[in-house]
């Protein structure tokens, strides 16, 4: 594996995008452009901390009866193939269909075969203040991200606003995917709509994926995708990962799982600073953001 030289933030740049150095390689990233796509492939794209694992869980419950009825006891890492990070040593080519992929890649680094609109793409977006707060807490428990000491929240926020974090700038990611949506067979979902009406979100996904589930099966998906169920499930909460990857003594992967937790973290001044950097570009996005659990969608 070609060595990736991390910078002072323990980040590696490949084609203008920040990766975590120890989980991928230049050779692997170089193969992605020509990566062969199947019609039956499903790709989940997100900016980190936007509800990736939640949506992975829902998709795998929709696709696999064995996950719904508990017969297949797979942890969340083994239910999906990570496109850019080779976390598991799995051969993607011989993997049976339907292959479920997850990725934090920006639209411009994805396999070019995806642009023929055959495989299905799901993109989940979350309000960026909750993303920031979730990311900050995660960087304390995810040991490899924390190789550079995560200082106070204000310093982390400046890194986030400058895009000096894994997956680069939130705005670029979301803007890029929305403005190129016509290139893909894509469904956009928001974390907030999933939180406010999980059942409707599951049905929306089933409809997009062409999966017909019975009422009872939909109930089973919804039941196993609630925050409380997932938090209590060690397979979803990454409790199987060793302490040199996740420091379980410092917190849980499934932390609060709500809308508006940023209000408990950001000062008035930090919120103003955030808005001064993000607001103008955010207003141009075709998304109505929800900032509080009590707000209407
Ligand atoms: S990662 O590391 O990028 O894969 O993180 P990601 O999975 O995208 O996001 C983690 C946040 O999603 C929350 N989460 C949920 N919220 C509500 N309901 C369910 N079922 C659920 N599952 C995961 C998780 O708690 C993280 O958000 P915070 O705000 O930190 O709690």
């Amino acid at each position: 594996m070609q060595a990736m030289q991390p910078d002072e933030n323990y980040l590696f740049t490949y084609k203008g995008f920040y990766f975590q150095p120890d989980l991928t390689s230049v050779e692997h990233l170089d193969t992605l452009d020509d990566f062969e796509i199947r019609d039956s492939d499903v790709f989940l794209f997100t900016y980190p901390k936007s509800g990736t694992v939640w949506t992975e869980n829902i998709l795998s419950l929709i696709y696999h009866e064995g996950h719904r009825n508990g017969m297949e006891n797979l942890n969340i890492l083994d239910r999906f193939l990570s496109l850019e990070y080779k976390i598991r040593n799995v051969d993607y080519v011989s993997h049976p269909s339907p292959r479920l992929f997850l990725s934090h890649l920006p639209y411009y680094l994805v396999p070019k075969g995806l642009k023929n609109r055959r495989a299905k793409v799901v993109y989940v977006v979350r309000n960026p203040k909750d993303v920031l707060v979730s990311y900050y807490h995660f960087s304390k428990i995810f040991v490899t991200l924390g190789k550079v000491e995560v200082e106070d929240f204000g310093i982390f926020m400046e890194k986030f606003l400058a895009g000096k974090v894994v997956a680069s700038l939130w705005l670029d990611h979301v803007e890029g995917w929305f403005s190129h949506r016509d290139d893909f067979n894509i469904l956009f979902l928001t974390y907030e709509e999933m939180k406010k009406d999980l059942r409707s979100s599951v049905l929306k996904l089933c409809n997009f994926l062409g999966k017909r589930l019975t009422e009872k099966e939909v109930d089973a998906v919804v039941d196993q995708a609630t925050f409380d169920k997932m938090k209590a499930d060690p397979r979803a909460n990454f409790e199987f990962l060793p302490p040199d990857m996740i420091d379980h003594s410092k917190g849980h992967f499934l932390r609060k799982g709500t809308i508006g937790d940023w209000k408990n973290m950001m000062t008035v001044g930090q919120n103003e600073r955030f808005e001064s950097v993000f607001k103008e570009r955010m207003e141009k996005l075709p998304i109505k953001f929800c900032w509080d659990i009590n707000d209407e969608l």
Side-chain angles (χ1 to χ4, degrees):
M1 194 152 110
Q2 192 175 324
M4 304 179 90
Q5 275 312 315
D7 67 7
E8 73 283 2
N9 290 310
Y10 206 72
L11 296 169
F12 172 80
T13 322
Y14 176 87
K15 298 191 178 168
F17 190 71
Y18 281 132
F19 291 86
Q20 211 182 303
D22 37 10
L23 294 176
T24 190
S25 66
V26 172
E27 291 105 310
H28 177 61
L29 295 174
D30 278 345
T31 64
L32 294 182
D33 194 33
D34 290 325
F35 184 76
E36 205 161 314
I37 303 295
R38 297 179 196 160
D39 285 356
S40 55
D41 287 339
V42 178
F43 285 80
L44 168 63
F45 289 101
T46 60
Y47 186 85
K49 314 321 291 177
S50 303
T52 323
V53 168
W54 189 8
T55 316
E56 281 178 64
N57 190 29
I58 294 172
L59 291 172
S60 78
L61 288 163
I62 290 174
Y63 271 90
H64 297 292
E65 190 185 356
H67 295 162
R68 287 196 296 275
N69 64 21
M71 296 299 281
E72 276 177 59
N73 188 21
L74 276 186
N75 70 53
I76 204 79
L77 273 186
D78 295 312
R79 295 184 189 188
F80 265 71
L81 303 170
S82 167
L83 190 57
E84 66 271 28
Y85 291 114
K86 293 291 272 182
I87 297 171
R88 296 288 204 233
N89 198 15
V90 179
D91 177 18
Y92 295 176
V93 177
S94 62
H95 201 277
S97 299
R99 299 180 300 185
L100 304 180
F101 289 96
L102 84 112
S103 170
H104 295 312
L105 286 177
Y107 79 94
Y108 68 90
L109 287 182
V110 306
K112 59 177 180 295
L114 267 183
K115 295 197 181 155
N116 60 21
R117 299 173 51 87
R118 281 169 28 196
K120 294 195 167 64
V121 173
V122 176
Y123 187 90
V124 179
V125 60
R126 183 183 193 184
N127 92 54
K129 293 180 191 173
D130 283 330
V131 168
L132 160 65
V133 170
S134 179
Y135 212 154
Y136 171 68
H137 288 290
F138 182 63
S139 60
K140 289 185 174 301
I141 66 165
F142 195 57
V143 178
T144 47
L145 276 183
K147 279 199 172 136
V148 171
E149 186 67 20
V150 181
E151 315 82 357
D152 67 39
F153 176 72
I155 295 174
F156 186 82
M157 184 175 98
E158 288 306 322
K159 284 186 181 165
F160 182 84
L161 293 179
K164 290 215 169 89
V165 289
V166 171
S168 298
L169 188 69
W170 178 89
L171 264 171
D172 288 342
H173 205 277
V174 175
E175 220 175 58
W177 274 102
F178 271 94
S179 53
H180 290 84
R181 59 188 177 275
D182 291 343
D183 296 343
F184 300 96
N185 180 8
I186 190 165
L187 173 75
F188 287 96
L189 272 182
T190 67
Y191 177 100
E192 290 77 17
E193 68 178 303
M194 287 162 64
K195 183 74 194 172
K196 289 208 161 243
D197 190 347
L198 184 52
R199 194 183 175 84
S200 296
S201 304
V202 169
L203 290 172
K204 217 183 215 184
L205 278 166
C206 289
N207 194 31
F208 173 68
L209 300 165
K211 299 292 290 179
R212 284 173 194 271
L213 298 190
T214 64
E215 286 275 302
K216 234 174 121 192
E217 287 168 336
V218 173
D219 288 345
V221 175
V222 173
D223 177 57
Q224 290 177 63
T226 61
F227 182 77
D228 290 344
K229 274 276 166 72
M230 285 182 63
K231 193 173 171 74
D233 182 352
R235 295 168 310 174
N237 220 345
F238 290 117
E239 278 163 37
F240 54 89
L241 284 180
D244 60 346
M245 277 194 90
I246 289 203
D247 186 344
H248 302 285
S249 68
K250 290 199 178 143
H252 298 287
F253 180 83
L254 275 98
R255 196 182 56 89
K256 287 203 178 167
T258 192
I259 309 168
D261 188 43
W262 62 272
K263 292 180 184 170
N264 300 316
M265 193 75 195
M266 294 170 78
T267 63
V268 173
Q270 284 167 341
N271 188 38
E272 282 170 6
R273 162 86 184 125
F274 189 101
E275 302 254 321
S276 74
V277 180
F278 266 32
K279 200 163 178 227
E280 205 180 311
R281 274 175 73 189
M282 276 189 68
E283 279 173 355
K284 296 195 182 109
L285 294 171
I287 318 164
K288 187 177 170 283
F289 285 95
C290 172
W291 303 101
D292 188 280
I293 189 81
N294 297 312
D295 287 352
E296 298 264 311
L297 278 180

